[in-house]
Amino acid sequence: DTLGLFSPQPMTTYTLEVVAPEGHVITGEVTTPPIPAINGEGLPDTLEQRKPFTLSWTLDQDTRTAVWTHALNYWLCGADQYAIMPANTREWTSEVENCSDWYLGEGNEPDSILIEVRAMDENYYDYFVRYGSEDDFSSFALGQGSSTRSVGVEGGIGVFCAIATDRIYRIFKP
């Protein structure tokens, strides 16, 4: 969609057909996941590195999710965490990282932290998570994947997939 008019809807199946000038046809199908909704009221405004916090969310169906946390302005020990959750999970608890051996320079002041829950369709999960360790490339936006595997695509190489994301921001104190 080069005009920015396409607005995908949750739990909807989409198909794709690409016809090359020489007549080669590539097709794909994806069902978008439901949009997760983080329970922000259940999370304090300020999180502390030495205290685990529990994040919960709602989701309209059993879909695999990923939880990702990341300090926004500079590196903070314990702020960057990532977890793949089973399909029926709606809660995640952070891990407390031992930061006693880390340099306490720039990362010693509180920072904003991004907390994100991503719901993944099966194509995304298969391409980037299940087979992610067999990768050929790494993408900042998508993660890792393969240039020789095909998931959700017939007649070509690649992936036709979807994620749905909710995110919140909090203060993170080292």
Side-chain angles (χ1 to χ4, degrees):
D1 176 18
T2 58
L3 299 176
L5 301 176
F6 178 63
S7 178
Q9 299 303 305
M11 298 183 288
T12 304
T13 299
Y14 293 94
T15 58
L16 172 72
E17 180 179 87
V18 177
V19 180
E22 66 278 355
H24 184 77
V25 178
I26 299 171
T27 60
E29 182 175 287
V30 65
T31 301
T32 54
I35 300 172
I38 295 173
N39 176 13
E41 294 80 33
L43 201 59
D45 291 336
T46 301
L47 306 172
E48 297 183 43
Q49 186 276 328
R50 292 171 188 85
K51 295 180 183 176
F53 63 90
T54 298
L55 178 72
S56 64
W57 59 92
T58 58
L59 201 57
D60 289 342
Q61 72 183 48
D62 285 345
T63 302
R64 286 185 177 91
T65 53
V67 177
W68 180 57
T69 66
H70 181 70
L72 295 181
N73 297 311
Y74 50 85
W75 180 84
L76 283 174
C77 181
D80 295 347
Q81 298 190 29
Y82 183 76
I84 301 293
M85 308 306 293
N88 59 352
T89 304
R90 303 287 190 277
E91 188 174 274
W92 170 80
T93 300
S94 67
E95 295 181 8
V96 175
E97 188 172 336
N98 180 356
C99 298
S100 61
D101 294 336
W102 293 99
Y103 173 72
L104 295 177
E106 178 183 18
N108 201 25
E109 295 296 320
D111 190 8
S112 294
I113 186 174
L114 165 69
I115 303 169
E116 184 174 273
V117 174
R118 291 180 186 169
M120 301 173 256
D121 79 308
E122 286 300 311
N123 295 348
Y124 182 97
Y125 178 80
D126 286 347
Y127 195 78
F128 293 106
V129 179
R130 180 179 295 162
Y131 303 112
S133 62
E134 302 169 15
D135 57 59
D136 291 348
F137 73 89
S138 183
S139 163
F140 176 74
L142 296 175
Q144 298 178 329
S146 171
S147 61
T148 59
R149 183 172 295 108
S150 191
V151 177
V153 175
E154 296 293 327
I157 296 172
V159 63
F160 188 39
C161 63
I163 61 172
T165 303
D166 190 18
R167 60 180 57 120
I168 59 172
Y169 299 89
R170 292 293 189 260
I171 300 299
F172 189 80
K173 289 174 42 178

